[in-house]
Structures are given as C-alpha cells and as structure tokens.
C-alpha cells in the first residue's frame, strides 16, 4: 500500500480520470477527499465508492474552485480533521469546442476560471499545509492539446498551456521545500 494513511484531495474526482484516480488512491490506502462541481455528482461517486471500498476513508466536498475563500475554508477543514494534506490532484477542468468567431468572453472566462484559477486556488490552499509538514505532492492534469493545440475551443489548450507553466514554476519554487509539483498530459 504505497499511500497508506496519506491524505489526498482530488478535484474533478466524481467522474472520468479524477474518479479513476480516487479509486487508485483508495486501493493504495490513501484517505481521499474528492471535489465535485455539484452535490448530485458527488453523492453518486460516493455511492459507487461505498460499494467497492468498504472500510476505506473517503468523502466528497463541493467548493467553488474559482473562489479562493471557499477553497481555503474547505481545505483548512480537511487539514484540521485529517491532520494533513499530503497530495493534491488538480484534475477539475472544463472543455468545449466553440470556433473563435462564436467564442464569447464569458465562455473563455469559464474555462480559464476553472482550469487555471481553480488549480491556482487549490494549490495555494493545499501548499500552506504541505509547507508546515515539509512535504507534499501536487499533480496537475494538463492535456496533449497544451502542446499541439486543437481546432476550436481555444480556451482549453490555452488553459492547459498556462497550467504547464504554473507546474514548472511551482516545481522550482516548492521543490526545495519538499513539495513535488508535476503534471500529466493525457490525450483523448
């Protein structure tokens, strides 16, 4: 059990890659808090986990990730109740494929607010606890389109390119403090 008793937060943890990450962490003995965008999806994910991981420690929370105060309050509560935050997986994200001529500022902002600002807020809120511990891991879910682009939906590759820059910069800043920061870039 590679992660026995580690406390992990996984954003976008109610489905897809995030949910698979939650399951893998639970199999390895971690205590997992999954973040979901809606209570309904959080509840559905928890029900699936209850059926598979009897006796494991997990829960779901639904803070608005683009709201730093909400994220900080939720993460401070987790750190207080569990005694640590050892791992943060910034997996929450939104994509869409609107062509540029139909793209609105609101659509662009929605993607950037979750994919970049949300990851920043979660990282800042978790790292303050990791610094006190002298250790931690931040893992960001990027995308291959951050390198190759995509036709339509310009905000998504833009946001993932920004996430790559944040990852590299924070790896250099936080590495000497015992906090590893990395990214994975899945494709379709």
């Amino acid at each position: 059990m590679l992660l026995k008793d580690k406390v992990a937060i996984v954003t976008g943890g109610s489905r897809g890659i995030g949910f698979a990450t939650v399951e893998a962490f639970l199999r390895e003995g971690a205590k997992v808090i999954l973040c979901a965008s809606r209570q309904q999806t959080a509840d559905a994910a928890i029900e699936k986990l209850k059926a598979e991981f009897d006796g494991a420690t997990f829960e779901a929370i639904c803070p608005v990730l683009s709201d730093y105060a909400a994220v900080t309050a939720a993460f401070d509560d987790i750190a207080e109740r569990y005694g640590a935050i050892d791992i943060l997986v910034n997996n929450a994200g939104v994509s869409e494929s609107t062509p540029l001529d139909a793209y609105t500022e609101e659509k662009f902002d929605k993607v950037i607010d979750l994919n970049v600002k949300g990851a920043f807020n979660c990282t800042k809120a978790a790292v303050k606890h990791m610094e006190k511990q002298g250790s931690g891991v931040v893992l960001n879910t990027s995308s291959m389109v951050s390198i190759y682009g995509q036709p339509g939906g310009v905000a998504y590759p833009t946001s993932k390119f920004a996430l790559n820059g944040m990852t590299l910069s924070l790896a250099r800043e936080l590495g000497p403090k015992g906090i590893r920061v990395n990214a994975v870039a899945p494709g379709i």
Side-chain angles (χ1 to χ4, degrees):
M1 297 188 89
L2 295 172
L3 302 175
K4 183 159 177 47
D5 296 327
K6 296 291 185 183
V7 178
I9 300 172
V10 180
T11 70
S14 64
R15 58 185 183 264
I17 291 170
F19 188 74
T21 302
V22 168
E23 291 178 306
F25 283 12
L26 287 170
R27 276 195 231 50
E28 292 298 333
K31 299 172 184 175
V32 182
I33 297 87
L34 69 85
C35 295
S37 57
R38 295 181 315 277
Q39 193 63 51
Q40 179 182 2
T41 57
D43 293 343
I46 291 297
E47 288 307 310
K48 287 181 193 174
L49 294 172
K50 283 180 183 175
E52 188 177 349
F53 296 98
D54 185 40
T57 302
F58 53 86
E59 67 176 273
I61 59 174
C62 300
V64 175
L65 301 184
S66 61
D67 179 346
Y68 180 67
V71 171
T72 299
F75 285 22
D76 287 353
D77 178 61
I78 290 163
E80 184 177 322
R81 289 188 294 114
Y82 288 92
I85 296 176
D86 299 299
I87 303 164
L88 169 65
V89 179
N90 284 312
N91 178 70
V94 62
S95 178
E96 54 119 295
S97 57
T98 303
L100 182 61
D101 63 352
Y103 228 98
T104 64
E105 184 177 1
E106 293 77 23
K107 284 183 182 181
F108 189 87
D109 287 347
K110 178 183 176 186
V111 174
I112 298 299
D113 279 352
L114 179 58
N115 297 6
V116 181
K117 187 177 179 184
F120 169 81
N121 288 343
C122 290
T123 301
K124 188 169 179 178
V127 162
K128 72 179 186 177
H129 299 286
M130 293 175 181
E131 286 179 327
K132 291 175 192 170
Q133 299 160 197
S135 65
V137 174
V138 177
L139 181 60
N140 296 320
T141 303
S142 181
S143 172
M144 290 305 293
V145 300
S146 69
I147 299 166
Y148 300 113
Q150 69 182 23
V154 68
Y156 184 72
T158 300
S159 71
K160 295 303 184 173
F161 190 84
L163 190 62
N164 293 344
M166 184 176 4
T167 300
L168 292 169
S169 295
L170 291 177
R172 294 183 71 183
E173 179 180 342
L174 300 174
K177 298 177 181 183
I179 302 167
R180 293 189 320 261
V181 183
N182 288 289
V184 295
I188 292 179

